[in-house]
């Protein structure tokens, strides 16, 4: 239990109030770290949208920065460890409004690697709650991405692979399960990968039940935001895409059938989490296979799916791309994924969809500068993403939020414990 307001461990009076709702003492951050402390920049301009608060359902974020889920391959039988406490905690400490725990498998065979995070058993709640408590102690929010890797499961952590495609999968002797990976159809990701099992209807029911159970565990651990992983060539993508889904039952064939599993899972997860909890969906908006000679999942399919999401209780579409085929052709540039958000929003408006007004959007991909992060979120700008998802740049600069704020001239709240280190407004960093 946290100590009574206004007292220290030895009972002496203190001017520092404790952070509420956490089982240890740390000073409260009011406002939360990373929040703008005034309504104008140092030179008198309005605060950019990037540093304005944003509320989704019952959760308010102090700014628009989200730490994207990033696999760390460091869990112990699905349990988070002290590594995750330090790794994820640093982002909240440095001002990220929302930090999302890496892809977390809802079943043991859904992990990307044997060292992936999981939420398929109750013992995995406590270490996750420990991370959530620390994030909350900084006044910020924590989310989790619930996932199943499908045919891309049972692989080795990247540093164990000498080069791409060389013994990528984990053998049983390495803790893997190469004979028990699932997919929509019995089609391997590549010739040198394992052959997945085509899921039976019983497997599908088990999967749906596992997503529901994992969502309940996440809420028990204090998670603020749930995200369903429907991107990057993992199991949900494998059902959505006609390149990987060759089923002839109610889960294959037509658009309605190929989207059925994702929509059923979404509906069932929404039903068991609090009304106040935001529900996100990450989707690969395109497979980048437009030049192929067979049908694939495209931006038009994403627009069609996005139209359905608000009625199922999805609050935000986290727009990513690719990952389902080595044949993908991507023309890399700073906006190659960011522009997908604009395309989807435009498509929804053109077809008169209510989702154009109610569905929120997250943009991700190569956001590594203050200028680009600000442009992506700016109200009235070309993208107008509601939240800005950043991944690798946070690994390079855990203090990315504070650096961006400094470069944009925005005064933000630093951790109380770091107040002596604050940069002067004219400092070159």
């Amino acid at each position: 239990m946290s100590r009574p307001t206004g007292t220290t461990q030895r009972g002496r009076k203190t001017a520092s109030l404790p952070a509420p709702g956490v089982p240890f003492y740390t000073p409260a951050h009011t406002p939360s770290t990373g929040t703008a402390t005034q309504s104008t920049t140092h030179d008198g301009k309005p605060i950019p949208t990037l540093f304005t608060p944003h509320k989704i359902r019952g959760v308010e974020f102090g700014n628009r920065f989200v730490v994207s889920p990033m696999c760390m391959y460091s869990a112990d039988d699905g349990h988070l460890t002290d590594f995750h406490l330090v790794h994820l905690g640093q982002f909240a400490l440095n001002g990220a409004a929302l930090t999302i725990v890496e892809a977390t498998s809802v079943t043991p065979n859904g992990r990307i690697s044997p060292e992936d995070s999981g939420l398929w058993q109750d013992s995995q709640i406590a270490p996750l709650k420990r991370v959530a408590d620390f994030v909350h102690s900084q006044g910020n929010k924590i989310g989790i991405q619930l996932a199943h890797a499908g045919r891309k499961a049972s692989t080795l952590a990247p540093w164990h692979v000498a080069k791409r495609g060389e013994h990528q999968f984990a053998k049983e002797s390495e803790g893997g399960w190469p004979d028990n990976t699932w997919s929509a159809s019995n089609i391997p990701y590549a010739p040198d990968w394992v052959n997945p099992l085509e899921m039976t209807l019983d497997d599908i029911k088990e999967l749906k039940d596992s997503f529901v159970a994992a969502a309940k565990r996440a809420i028990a651990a204090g998670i603020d935001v749930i995200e369903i992983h429907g991107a990057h060539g993992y199991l949900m993508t494998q059902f959505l895409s006609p390149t990987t889904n060759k089923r002839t039952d109610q889960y294959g064939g037509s658009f309605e059938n190929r989207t059925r599993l994702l929509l059923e899972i979404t509906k069932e997860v929404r039903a068991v989490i609090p009304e106040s909890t935001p529900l996100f969906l990450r989707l690969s908006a395109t497979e980048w296979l437009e030049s192929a000679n067979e049908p694939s999942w495209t931006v038009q399919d994403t627009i069609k799916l996005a139209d359905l999401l608000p009625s199922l209780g999805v609050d935000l579409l986290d727009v990513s791309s690719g990952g389902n085929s080595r044949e993908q052709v991507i023309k890399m540039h700073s906006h190659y994924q960011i522009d997908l958000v604009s395309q989807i929003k435009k498509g929804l408006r053109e077809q008169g969809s209510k989702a154009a007004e109610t569905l929120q959007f997250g943009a991700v991909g190569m956001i590594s500068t203050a200028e680009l992060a600000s442009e992506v979120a700016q109200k009235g700008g070309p993208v107008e993403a509601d939240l800005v998802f950043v991944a690798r740049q946070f690994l390079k600069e855990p203090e990315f939020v504070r650096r961006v704020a400094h470069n944009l001239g925005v005064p933000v709240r630093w951790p109380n414990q770091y107040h002596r280190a604050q940069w002067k407004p004219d400092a070159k960093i």
Side-chain angles (χ1 to χ4, degrees):
M1 298 294 291
S2 57
R3 279 176 288 282
T5 300
T7 63
T8 66
Q9 187 174 8
R10 295 192 176 99
R12 295 194 300 267
K13 294 294 182 181
T14 175
S16 180
L17 298 177
V22 296
F24 57 90
Y25 172 77
T26 190
H29 296 91
T30 307
S32 57
T33 59
T35 302
T37 56
Q38 60 187 52
S39 59
T40 61
T41 62
H42 290 303
D43 57 3
K45 296 178 182 178
I47 292 290
T49 306
L50 184 63
F51 282 96
T52 59
H54 187 63
K55 188 173 184 179
I56 303 179
R57 292 187 182 257
V59 178
E60 182 163 338
F61 309 103
N63 57 49
R64 308 303 180 97
F65 284 94
V66 179
V67 179
S68 277
M70 292 179 279
C71 291
M72 292 288 108
Y73 311 99
S74 299
D76 181 6
D77 190 29
H79 299 77
L80 300 190
T81 68
D82 285 355
F83 168 83
H84 297 92
L85 176 65
V86 175
H87 164 66
L88 296 168
Q90 68 180 327
F91 304 127
L93 179 70
N94 281 295
L98 173 62
T99 299
I100 302 183
V101 178
E102 64 192 73
T104 297
S105 184
V106 300
T107 67
N109 77 338
R111 291 170 291 171
I112 301 168
S113 82
E115 295 80 32
D116 272 21
S117 170
L119 259 187
W120 66 80
Q121 54 187 338
D122 288 349
S123 61
Q124 292 158 341
I125 296 173
L128 177 60
K129 186 177 188 304
R130 189 171 179 226
V131 177
D133 285 342
F134 182 83
V135 170
H136 291 153
S137 77
Q138 305 307 302
N140 288 313
K141 303 299 187 292
I142 185 167
I144 195 166
Q145 185 183 69
L146 300 181
H148 193 290
R151 67 178 185 169
K152 295 177 78 174
S154 190
T155 62
L156 293 169
W159 53 84
H160 292 310
V161 183
K163 60 183 179 180
R164 184 176 177 83
E166 181 180 323
H167 183 36
Q168 188 102 14
F169 64 91
K171 299 178 181 179
E172 287 188 13
S173 61
E174 298 165 318
W177 49 98
D179 296 328
N180 187 34
T181 62
W182 286 350
S183 189
S185 300
N186 182 22
I187 303 172
Y189 174 67
D192 54 342
W193 283 49
V194 299
N195 287 312
L197 302 173
E198 180 173 311
M199 293 179 69
T200 66
L201 293 182
D202 285 341
D203 293 335
I204 288 174
K205 183 180 185 306
E206 179 185 342
L207 178 75
K208 291 190 291 184
D209 291 344
S210 296
F211 265 94
V212 168
K216 291 179 179 178
R217 292 186 183 103
I219 297 301
I223 294 296
D224 301 296
V225 175
I226 304 289
E227 177 169 91
I228 296 172
H229 198 352
H232 302 164
Y234 297 122
L235 186 59
M236 292 301 101
T237 305
Q238 293 159 34
F239 270 85
L240 293 174
S241 170
T243 68
T244 45
N245 187 342
K246 305 298 183 182
R247 301 175 71 95
T248 58
D249 62 6
Q250 65 266 41
Y251 291 98
S254 66
F255 172 89
E256 289 72 21
N257 284 355
R258 285 182 284 108
T259 58
R260 187 184 306 278
L261 178 59
L262 175 61
L263 298 183
E264 287 178 345
I265 287 173
T266 300
K267 183 177 180 180
E268 291 185 24
V269 167
R270 178 75 267 175
V272 299
I273 63 177
E275 179 67 23
S276 58
T277 301
L279 180 61
F280 294 0
L281 170 64
R282 172 163 278 193
L283 204 65
S284 281
T286 173
E287 293 184 82
W288 301 112
L289 293 174
E290 287 80 0
S291 60
N293 294 321
E294 61 176 318
S296 64
W297 185 268
T298 67
V299 175
Q300 289 305 312
D301 292 309
T302 296
I303 293 169
K304 190 174 179 180
L305 179 61
D307 179 53
L308 307 174
L309 297 179
S311 65
L312 296 172
V314 174
D315 300 293
L316 181 140
L317 183 61
D318 173 7
V319 182
S320 190
S321 68
N324 200 35
S325 173
R326 285 185 181 171
E327 306 305 314
Q328 65 185 21
V329 178
I330 304 176
K331 296 179 181 178
M332 291 286 190
H333 56 88
S334 62
H335 287 65
Y336 87 99
Q337 286 192 150
I338 295 168
D339 287 345
L340 295 171
V341 174
S342 302
Q343 292 179 47
I344 297 165
K345 293 172 75 171
K346 179 182 178 183
L348 289 172
R349 288 194 299 268
E350 288 177 347
Q351 67 185 33
S353 170
K354 292 181 180 179
E357 304 301 326
T358 57
L359 185 62
Q360 299 192 39
F361 288 86
V364 64
M366 301 180 73
I367 300 173
S368 60
T369 67
E371 293 75 18
L372 183 55
S374 184
E375 172 197 325
V376 168
Q378 189 59 37
K379 186 174 178 60
V383 183
E384 262 190 309
D386 298 280
L387 296 176
V388 178
F389 288 67
V390 178
R392 295 178 191 179
Q393 197 61 31
F394 272 115
L395 300 184
K396 299 173 184 177
E397 300 178 289
E399 74 286 359
F400 185 59
V401 173
R402 288 191 277 114
R403 284 182 176 268
V404 170
H406 183 79
N407 290 333
L408 296 177
V410 179
V412 295
R413 178 64 180 262
W414 280 47
N416 289 327
Q417 301 94 323
Y418 291 12
H419 77 280
R420 292 183 177 179
Q422 294 184 62
W423 299 307
K424 294 181 180 180
D426 59 351
K428 302 296 182 183
I429 62 169

